[in-house]
Amino acid sequence: MTQEDVGRHPARIERPSLPYILHPGTRTVVLGQALPPRDRHNLAHVLAITVRSPENPAERYWPGRLSGAQPLITGPRP
């Protein structure tokens, strides 16, 4: 995974100036701005990497691991 591999993709999702930091050893990209879930999933799927993103306060859905959160673990049903 190189900067060029990651750098080509944001333009495809209409975010050509998307700030990010690539950690090639862990195949992780840390985004510098919040993205909609579909764009985060697309980036993660197409590049086969982990994507971390700031939370968007207007997001209606729990963003889970895409924003760096811990997995949701629930107890047994009562």
Side-chain angles (χ1 to χ4, degrees):
M1 182 63 52
T2 67
Q3 291 282 19
E4 292 78 28
D5 294 332
V6 176
R8 284 189 293 266
H9 195 70
R12 293 182 188 153
I13 58 173
E14 300 178 1
R15 307 279 184 171
S17 61
L18 177 68
Y20 67 89
I21 298 171
L22 171 64
H23 299 280
T26 59
R27 295 184 61 86
T28 301
V29 169
V30 179
L31 302 178
Q33 69 185 53
L35 284 182
R38 70 176 186 183
D39 291 337
R40 292 185 307 228
H41 286 287
N42 182 285
L43 185 62
H45 179 75
V46 169
L47 298 175
I49 57 174
T50 300
V51 177
R52 304 277 187 225
S53 172
E55 278 192 58
N56 180 348
E59 185 76 46
R60 294 183 56 203
Y61 300 100
W62 181 67
R65 290 180 14 192
L66 288 175
S67 66
Q70 295 298 315
L72 177 63
I73 300 172
T74 61
R77 290 183 147 172

